[in-house]
């Protein structure tokens, strides 16, 4: 009459050690233990496993054919029976690597895989107890930890293979994705409609969806990396690419109806980055990325927030003129040098405020002086330098030069 002993496999765990379920195996157990193992049929064990594994989520609609599950099932039970005979599995079991790798590639969740291995234990234990007699009860108890350890070793090796393969898959995906993103920045054909549509489909971004494009350089890159991580954790995909020494990040813009900075995430506005939008989606990404990079390069120690196009256009204009070696305000600086220090400070302070506010009244309020005083200082500045701050065409030089 078979003995029925039901034990639940707790695994996978980090190495099952002998438990005080009874005396440990002794030499007199060996013969009867081998007889019990000889009575187990790998094909029957596999058939039972296949019948039950179909009820596990992930295996019920698995892309793996039944023949593959049957093949690895036979190999797994063969390996575990050998482990039960030897008191444990070797450090590397080929079928564990096979199963872990193939299940990862098939997209079976790790929880489903571990449930299937738990099923291996149940099938094994039921077969052992069914082949046993009442007189074998103590022997089974003494060998319980061997069964647990053997299945646990198989589970641990399978899990390691699974996770290693998942890491490889993620690296492959990331590498392929980075290649597609690089095409958007480097390939002149990346603005072709058909090509953009194809890349957009792979990235999961509608081709015309407005984008937020961010650039960071130097010590400002790590804070941007943190922001990217936090944003992705919230469920918003962010794509990155290095453009020279600058890190470019782009994502679908949330404010689909506009591009005003006030509508953007305060978190990104607080970073020292270049920030622009691409209203033309991926087609305009290359141009927007170049601007974001250039804005990031204009950031100085005095900056404590993002530099948007509206804040930074004058900086870019100045940088372009400096590169061409054209002195933008040489004549103005020379003219102001003829003033005393206190007068020069008052005149510059007045003109800078007026350029920012565009209003004599608001400038007077900001400087705590009379409107007539502001008008007189603006007139005096124009007379000395030949540049009238109240005339837009002339004041543009001051805006760019002092940016």
């Amino acid at each position: 009459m078979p003995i029925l002993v039901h034990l639940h496999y707790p695994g996978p765990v980090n190495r099952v050690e002998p438990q005080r379920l009874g005396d440990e195996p002794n030499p007199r157990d060996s013969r009867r233990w081998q007889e019990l193992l000889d009575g187990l049929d790998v094909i029957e064990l596999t058939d039972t496993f296949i019948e039950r594994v179909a009820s596990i989520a992930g295996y019920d609609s698995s892309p793996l054919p039944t023949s593959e599950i049957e093949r690895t099932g036979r190999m797994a039970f063969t390996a575990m029976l050998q482990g039960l005979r030897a008191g444990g599995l070797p450090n590397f079991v080929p079928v564990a690597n096979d199963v872990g790798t193939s299940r990862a590639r098939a997209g079976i969740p790790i929880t489903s895989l571990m449930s299937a291995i738990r099923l291996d234990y149940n099938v094994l234990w039921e077969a052992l107890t069914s082949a046993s007699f009442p007189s074998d009860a103590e022997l089974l108890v003494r060998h319980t930890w061997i069964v647990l350890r053997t299945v646990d070793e198989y589970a641990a090796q399978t899990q390691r293979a699974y996770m290693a393969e998942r890491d490889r898959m993620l690296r492959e995906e990331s590498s392929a994705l980075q290649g597609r993103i690089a095409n958007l920045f480097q390939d002149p054909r990346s603005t072709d409609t058909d090509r953009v549509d194809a890349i957009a489909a792979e990235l999961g971004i509608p081709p015309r969806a407005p984008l937020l494009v961010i650039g960071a350089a130097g010590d400002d890159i790590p804070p941007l990396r943190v922001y990217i991580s936090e944003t992705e954790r919230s469920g918003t995909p962010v794509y990155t690419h290095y453009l020279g020494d600058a890190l470019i990040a782009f994502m679908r813009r949330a404010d689909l109806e506009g591009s005003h900075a006030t509508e953007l995430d305060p978190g990104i506005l607080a970073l020292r980055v270049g920030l622009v939008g691409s209203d033309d989606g991926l087609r305009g990404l290359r141009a927007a990325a170049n601007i974001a990079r250039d804005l990031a390069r204009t950031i100085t120690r005095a900056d404590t927030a993002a530099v948007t196009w509206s804040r930074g256009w004058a900086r870019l204009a100045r940088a372009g003129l400096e590169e061409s070696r054209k002195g933008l305000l040489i004549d103005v600086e020379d003219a102001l040098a003829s003033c005393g220090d206190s007068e020069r400070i008052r005149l510059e302070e007045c003109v800078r405020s007026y350029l920012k506010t565009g209003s004599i009244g608001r400038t007077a309020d900001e400087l705590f002086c009379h409107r007539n005083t502001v008008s007189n200082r603006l007139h005096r500045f124009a007379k000395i330098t030949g540049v009238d701050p109240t005339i837009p065409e002339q004041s543009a030089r001051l805006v760019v030069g002092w940016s």
Side-chain angles (χ1 to χ4, degrees):
M1 180 178 194
I3 178 172
L4 297 179
V5 179
H6 296 285
L7 289 175
H8 175 67
Y9 171 55
V13 296
N14 295 325
R15 294 291 182 189
V16 175
E17 298 298 332
Q19 304 295 312
R20 297 302 297 173
L21 298 174
D23 295 334
E24 296 182 16
N26 56 60
R28 289 175 298 178
D29 290 336
S30 179
R31 180 176 178 180
R32 178 56 183 157
W33 178 243
Q34 297 298 329
E35 288 176 353
L36 286 176
L37 295 178
D38 288 341
L40 303 186
D41 185 279
V42 169
I43 294 177
E44 291 181 2
L45 294 173
T46 305
D47 289 344
T48 303
F49 172 80
I50 291 176
E51 181 182 335
R52 297 181 184 179
V53 78
S55 64
I56 295 177
Y59 278 84
D60 50 357
S61 57
S62 169
L64 290 170
T66 303
S67 59
E68 168 63 12
I69 299 175
E70 182 180 359
R71 180 186 70 84
T72 54
R74 284 199 306 270
M75 294 173 63
F77 281 117
T78 298
M80 283 187 277
L81 286 177
Q82 290 173 350
L84 292 179
R85 293 181 188 280
L89 293 177
N91 291 331
F92 178 75
V93 178
V95 66
N97 186 71
D98 189 343
V99 170
T101 301
S102 62
R103 275 40 171 188
R105 287 284 172 181
I108 293 176
I110 185 64
T111 51
S112 300
L113 176 58
M114 292 300 104
S115 294
I117 293 177
R118 190 176 297 115
L119 181 56
D120 286 336
Y121 171 82
N122 294 337
V123 171
L124 267 177
W125 189 256
E126 288 177 11
L128 278 170
T129 56
S130 295
S132 303
F133 294 100
S135 58
D136 296 319
E138 291 184 7
L139 177 142
L140 283 177
V141 171
R142 287 195 292 270
H143 286 76
T144 300
W145 74 270
I146 294 179
V147 180
L148 288 172
R149 186 177 67 183
T150 299
V151 177
D152 185 73
E153 288 173 347
Y154 173 72
Q157 291 190 34
T158 304
Q159 188 176 50
R160 284 196 296 271
Y162 181 98
M163 299 309 295
E165 189 62 24
R166 284 296 301 164
D167 285 342
R168 272 192 294 273
M169 292 168 64
L170 289 174
R171 287 196 298 271
E172 289 171 4
E173 267 182 43
S174 176
S175 178
L177 180 62
Q178 287 305 122
R180 292 190 287 272
I181 291 173
N183 281 336
L184 290 170
F185 290 88
Q186 300 167 0
D187 192 334
R189 297 173 298 165
S190 63
T191 55
D192 292 347
T193 301
D194 291 343
R195 192 173 183 83
V196 169
D197 289 349
I199 295 176
E202 292 183 82
L203 297 182
I205 301 177
R208 300 287 183 177
L211 301 177
L212 179 64
V213 186
I214 310 160
D219 293 339
D220 296 321
I221 291 178
L224 176 57
R225 283 284 187 193
V226 172
Y227 174 81
I228 291 170
S229 177
E230 293 174 349
T231 301
E232 290 190 322
R233 196 177 302 120
S234 69
T236 301
V238 182
Y239 306 95
T240 60
H241 178 75
Y242 270 95
L243 201 58
D245 61 345
L247 174 65
I248 301 298
F250 65 96
M251 57 185 169
R252 188 172 181 181
R253 199 170 61 204
D255 56 317
L256 299 178
E257 297 180 356
S259 59
H260 298 297
T262 54
E263 300 174 12
L264 300 178
D265 177 10
I268 192 61
L269 292 174
L271 296 180
R272 289 161 40 93
V273 295
L275 196 61
V276 296
S278 174
D279 292 327
D280 202 19
L282 292 175
R283 286 177 61 86
L285 177 60
R286 290 176 65 192
N290 286 328
I291 295 172
R293 175 200 58 195
D294 293 344
L295 287 174
R297 289 173 174 171
T298 69
I299 290 175
T300 66
R301 292 183 179 180
D303 290 306
T304 58
V307 178
T308 60
W309 172 254
S310 60
R311 285 191 58 209
W313 71 267
R315 297 184 182 188
L316 297 183
R318 183 185 64 187
L321 289 171
E322 287 176 349
E323 287 180 4
S324 63
R325 299 183 180 180
K326 293 181 180 178
L328 188 60
L329 293 180
I330 290 178
D331 56 334
V332 173
E333 297 293 336
D334 288 345
L336 290 175
S338 64
C339 301
D341 289 343
S342 59
E343 182 183 21
R344 176 172 182 167
I345 291 174
R346 287 195 301 271
L347 291 178
E348 281 197 26
E349 179 185 50
C350 180
V351 174
R352 286 177 184 271
S353 176
Y354 178 78
L355 293 175
K356 181 176 65 176
T357 64
S359 164
I360 289 179
R362 289 172 61 188
T363 298
D365 292 340
E366 187 175 278
L367 300 181
F368 303 103
C369 62
H370 195 274
R371 291 169 58 96
N372 290 341
T373 301
V374 172
S375 296
N376 290 337
R377 289 177 181 174
L378 293 176
H379 178 72
R380 172 69 174 162
F381 183 93
K383 182 178 180 180
I384 292 175
T385 65
V387 178
D388 191 339
T390 63
I391 299 176
E393 186 177 16
Q394 296 184 32
S395 66
R397 271 215 295 153
L398 300 172
V399 172
V400 173
W402 283 344
S403 61

